[in-house]
Amino acid sequence: MPSPVIDLRSDTVTKPSAAMRRAMHDAEVGDDVYREDPTVNRLQDRAAEIFGCEAGLYVVSGTMGNQTAIKVLTRHGQEVICEERCHIYNFEMAMVAVFSGVLPRTIRAADGILTWPMIAPYIRARNDHRARTGLIELENTSNLAGGSVYPLEIANDIVDRAHAAGLPVHLDGARIFNASVALGRSVAELTKKFDSVMFCLSKGLGAPVGSLLVGSKEFIEEARIVRKMLGGGMRQAGVLAAAGFVALEEGPPRLHIDHANAKFLAQGLAEIPGIKVDPSKVASNILFFDVSGTGLAAQEISKRLAARGVLANASDPQTIRMVTHLDVDRRGCERALRVLREVVT
Ligand code: TLP
């Protein structure tokens, strides 16, 4: 029997577990646009409880959650300050411009971690010549910066000072549970100062579909309207939310395994000739490694890996990303390392 494919392209690729499928089968449903889906309501209430917020809103995807929050918190013609490699700027189809009519004001920061002194010079209040700042956005963990984690004091300092300047702060917490595990602090602690938080059920937590926005009642009421504008009123969405509920309860306690596997991969990769990676930088479940020393293009390596049953995407001509998750165990990681060594030597 051929070995199963080791899919390290993303933590979005996980398949629903047996418990999730059972919960989906058994889910009580209603029309969620009328707020009558008991399973969606239960998921939203539980998310709000875990994050210590007033309310939650189930959305189709992380992208929908981020873009909904940005729309609620900004006005056309403003700027959003964010890190240069963030998801809202690089992977959300220019929706900040298309939908909210705002301009990303990007700042490059080491490891994707902004600090207040980096942000402060870019904040513009009312001005006759330049667009006003409307929002600050942070990403934790930072995907393109290699799953790096915001130190709590740095994130809190940014939010406190932004508030003092009259600015809201949105958190793209697609992988905030990974940050929570890496720091040993609860997600409520990591996010309590933010005006809005988006987190994904469909990444490391393992659900097939869905993300949540959490925040104040007032913010979530506005977000409901924007979600509807985006076509995100899903009706009997309880069949999906049921899987999300299982992910929210069962996902977080096992994320440390993915972090250990990512570290293990990085340590193994560092020993392969021509590959450059710093295992000490791997803080969660994402790693990027440089393949330029192998003499092969990242795309070519990715193709050769795929032919041998290991999937990992090139993120640029000399870099490959690997993401660990619940459908890849330690043996899978060992095999990925073996195959990679064969492919490049
Ligand atoms: N990230 C995906 C791709 O879009 C790159 C991945 O494979 O990592 N915020 C962050 C930090 C994300 O990494 C992602 C997805 C999203 C938002 C968007 O979530 P979805 O895919 O549910 O819209």
Side-chain angles (χ1 to χ4, degrees):
M1 208 171 69
S3 319
V5 167
I6 310 290
D7 194 343
L8 294 160
R9 288 172 301 168
S10 182
D11 48 8
T12 59
V13 301
T14 58
K15 307 268 168 48
S17 64
M20 286 179 197
R21 288 178 185 275
R22 265 196 311 276
M24 293 170 86
H25 177 270
D26 295 342
E28 256 189 273
V29 296
D31 191 325
D32 181 50
V33 174
Y34 291 99
R35 308 182 186 217
E36 287 170 3
D37 188 301
T39 309
V40 170
N41 291 340
R42 193 162 65 104
L43 175 65
Q44 292 174 164
D45 291 348
R46 179 71 182 127
E49 182 184 46
I50 290 172
F51 281 79
C53 289
E54 285 176 0
L57 185 71
Y58 186 48
V59 291
V60 173
S61 62
T63 301
M64 184 182 280
N66 281 334
Q67 295 304 325
T68 297
I70 293 166
K71 178 75 178 164
V72 171
L73 297 172
T74 61
R75 283 174 35 203
H76 261 65
Q78 293 184 326
E79 290 190 351
V80 175
I81 295 178
C82 50
E83 208 276 334
E84 191 181 294
R85 284 164 286 179
C86 69
H87 197 275
I88 61 160
Y89 177 56
N90 291 285
F91 291 107
E92 299 193 4
M93 316 303 288
M95 270 292 272
V96 286
V98 173
F99 188 51
S100 295
V102 293
L103 184 70
R105 176 62 56 191
T106 61
I107 304 169
R108 178 86 177 188
D111 297 327
I113 305 298
L114 291 168
T115 61
W116 182 255
M118 292 177 202
I119 293 171
Y122 294 94
I123 289 183
R124 294 199 204 95
R126 217 196 118 67
N127 182 310
D128 283 349
H129 304 281
R130 306 255 234 156
R132 232 197 259 199
T133 306
L135 177 70
I136 295 170
E137 188 263 359
L138 306 183
E139 186 175 304
N140 195 14
T141 65
S142 169
N143 178 351
L144 274 198
S148 57
V149 179
Y150 260 93
L152 181 57
E153 306 68 41
I154 291 181
N156 279 349
D157 183 53
I158 292 173
V159 185
D160 284 341
R161 289 169 189 265
H163 286 168
L167 290 171
V169 189
H170 171 66
L171 178 68
D172 176 344
R175 298 185 179 83
I176 193 64
F177 283 94
N178 294 87
S180 158
V181 166
L183 293 172
R185 318 287 279 254
S186 71
V187 289
E189 231 184 317
L190 300 189
T191 62
K192 66 171 186 269
K193 288 177 185 268
F194 287 84
D195 297 273
S196 57
V197 179
M198 183 285 291
F199 74 93
C200 293
L201 299 165
S202 61
K203 304 216 161 41
L205 304 188
V209 178
S211 296
L212 277 116
L213 272 174
V214 289
S216 68
K217 267 202 181 108
E218 194 190 345
F219 167 78
I220 292 296
E221 281 306 308
E222 288 303 308
R224 275 193 88 87
I225 293 168
V226 175
R227 182 185 69 171
K228 192 68 167 59
M229 288 167 82
L230 288 169
M234 284 190 287
R235 310 297 177 182
Q236 287 73 33
V239 284
L240 299 171
F245 199 89
V246 175
L248 189 55
E249 298 300 338
E250 295 181 2
R254 59 153 308 285
L255 288 177
H256 65 99
I257 300 170
D258 300 343
H259 294 195
N261 281 339
K263 192 72 122 187
F264 173 79
L265 276 174
Q267 282 158 348
L269 287 165
E271 286 168 14
I272 299 178
I275 288 182
K276 263 203 317 229
V277 61
D278 181 353
S280 72
K281 289 263 183 198
V282 176
S284 59
N285 69 329
I286 301 178
L287 63 128
F288 288 83
F289 55 96
D290 185 303
V291 297
S292 46
T294 64
L296 292 168
Q299 285 278 14
E300 178 57 27
I301 294 177
S302 173
K303 232 166 63 190
R304 293 186 189 182
L305 286 174
R308 291 163 175 79
V310 175
L311 305 182
N313 284 338
S315 59
D316 68 37
Q318 62 240 10
T319 314
I320 292 179
R321 181 180 81 150
M322 285 182 170
V323 187
T324 54
H325 52 78
L326 79 169
D327 286 352
V328 175
D329 60 11
R330 182 56 64 95
R331 284 183 57 194
C333 294
E334 285 165 354
R335 198 172 116 224
L337 286 172
R338 255 196 325 274
V339 170
L340 190 68
R341 194 179 272 277
E342 275 166 34
V343 156
V344 300
T345 51

